[in-house]
């Protein structure tokens, strides 16, 4: 499978949001398939650790780019860092929420930054890397989203909205690029235990949270199963039920759960 995988999605993969958690696990597992990596994130120290591990364990080439994905010239900088590389896979993993607060409690700049990170970022990078993939007749684009995309929710108004954008955008992109041999897949996640979640004060619960390594493995195994592949058996069961519920009831249910979670954190 590795040779076939590398031929379809190699020789280079770009991972946006690769310094820890799911992104770091995706980097490690793609390197195990023999793909060379371009790793993008803001934390250069963590990025270098992921890069060194991939080089040492698998002997692949790894470039790093310390980059804020929300700045206006982000694509120009990524283009310069990947110039001359045959990029066959883009994994957009950036965009976790680090707050549980209402829209009006957050500063406007915080919400606009979320929109830039979750909407403008993947759109711009897909537009940059998509044409060469179509020209070669193979490749893949993965947008790692969240089950928050299922409905709007109190304390997650902007986050759920941007994840819904990712979901719908990926589905449309899948329809457009599939005839050219390029796979596009949105991979909504349920709660996954990552360093970002730990920093929010959430403790690991094996009954309700997946591990980053397992999530990464499932994402990589299902790049070709777009346009949307919900990660995790329990999460797929939830999604299949949710999509049968009327929107008002759905929003009320998710809002209640999210508000309760936020209240517990504040307590």
């Amino acid at each position: 499978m590795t040779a076939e995988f590398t031929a379809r999605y190699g020789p280079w993969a770009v991972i946006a949001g690769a310094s820890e958690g799911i992104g770091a696990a995706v980097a490690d597992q793609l390197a195990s398939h023999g793909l060379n990596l371009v790793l993008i994130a803001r934390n250069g120290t963590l990025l270098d650790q992921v890069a060194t591990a991939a080089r040492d364990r698998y002997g692949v080439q790894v470039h790093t780019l310390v980059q804020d994905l929300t700045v206006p010239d982000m694509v120009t900088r990524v283009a310069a860092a990947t110039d001359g590389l045959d990029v066959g896979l883009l994994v957009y993993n950036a965009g976790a929420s680090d707050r549980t607060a209402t829209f009006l409690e957050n500063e406007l700049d915080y919400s606009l930054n979320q929109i830039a990170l979750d909407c403008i970022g993947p759109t711009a990078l897909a537009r940059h890397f998509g044409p060469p993939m179509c020209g070669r007749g193979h490749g893949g684009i993965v947008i790692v989203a969240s089950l928050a995309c299922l409905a709007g929710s109190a304390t997650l108004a902007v986050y759920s909205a941007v994840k819904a954008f990712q979901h719908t955008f990926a589905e449309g992109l899948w329809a457009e690029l599939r005839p050219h041999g390029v796979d596009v897949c949105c991979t909504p996640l349920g709660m996954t235990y990552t360093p970002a979640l730990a920093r929010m004060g959430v403790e690991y619960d094996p009954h309700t949270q997946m591990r980053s390594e397992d999530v990464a493995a499932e994402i990589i195994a299902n790049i070709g199963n777009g346009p949307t592949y919900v990660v995790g058996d329990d999460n797929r069961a939830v999604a299949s039920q949710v999509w049968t519920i009327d929107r008002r009831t759905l929003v009320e249910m998710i809002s209640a759960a999210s508000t309760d979670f936020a209240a517990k954190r504040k307590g």
Side-chain angles (χ1 to χ4, degrees), residues 68-151:
D68 183 341
L69 293 166
T70 68
V71 299
D73 64 343
M74 176 271 291
V75 174
T76 301
R77 297 184 185 186
V78 173
T82 57
D83 185 41
L85 302 182
D86 192 0
V87 175
L89 181 63
L90 167 65
V91 179
Y92 198 90
N93 175 64
S97 175
D98 61 355
R99 297 186 187 180
T100 50
T102 68
F103 173 68
L104 296 182
E105 288 175 323
N106 284 320
E107 305 85 2
L108 177 59
D109 284 346
Y110 178 81
S111 296
L112 294 177
N113 188 72
Q114 275 195 305
I115 293 170
L117 184 61
D118 286 274
C119 300
I120 296 175
T123 301
L125 291 183
R127 184 61 182 80
H128 177 72
F129 291 111
M133 292 181 188
C134 289
R136 291 192 304 270
H138 63 87
I141 297 173
V142 176
I143 300 178
V144 181
S146 165
L147 283 180
C149 73
L150 294 174

Side-chain angles (χ1 to χ4, degrees), residues 116-223:
L117 184 61
D118 286 274
C119 300
I120 296 175
T123 301
L125 291 183
R127 184 61 182 80
H128 177 72
F129 291 111
M133 292 181 188
C134 289
R136 291 192 304 270
H138 63 87
I141 297 173
V142 176
I143 300 178
V144 181
S146 165
L147 283 180
C149 73
L150 294 174
S153 169
T155 77
L156 295 172
V158 174
Y159 182 72
S160 58
V162 296
K163 293 306 177 183
F165 171 87
Q166 291 183 340
H167 179 209
T168 304
F169 172 61
E171 291 191 331
L173 201 60
W174 172 86
E176 293 180 352
L177 301 192
R178 189 184 186 197
H180 301 281
V182 178
D183 296 323
V184 180
C185 191
C186 177
T187 57
L189 312 175
M191 189 170 286
T192 303
Y193 194 71
T194 63
L197 198 64
R199 285 193 291 271
M200 292 173 66
V202 179
E203 296 183 359
Y204 175 60
D205 181 355
H207 302 292
T208 60
Q209 301 164 12
M210 295 186 69
R211 299 188 311 147
S212 295
E213 295 80 4
D214 297 331
V215 167
E218 199 164 338
I219 288 172
I220 291 170
N222 290 282
I223 296 172

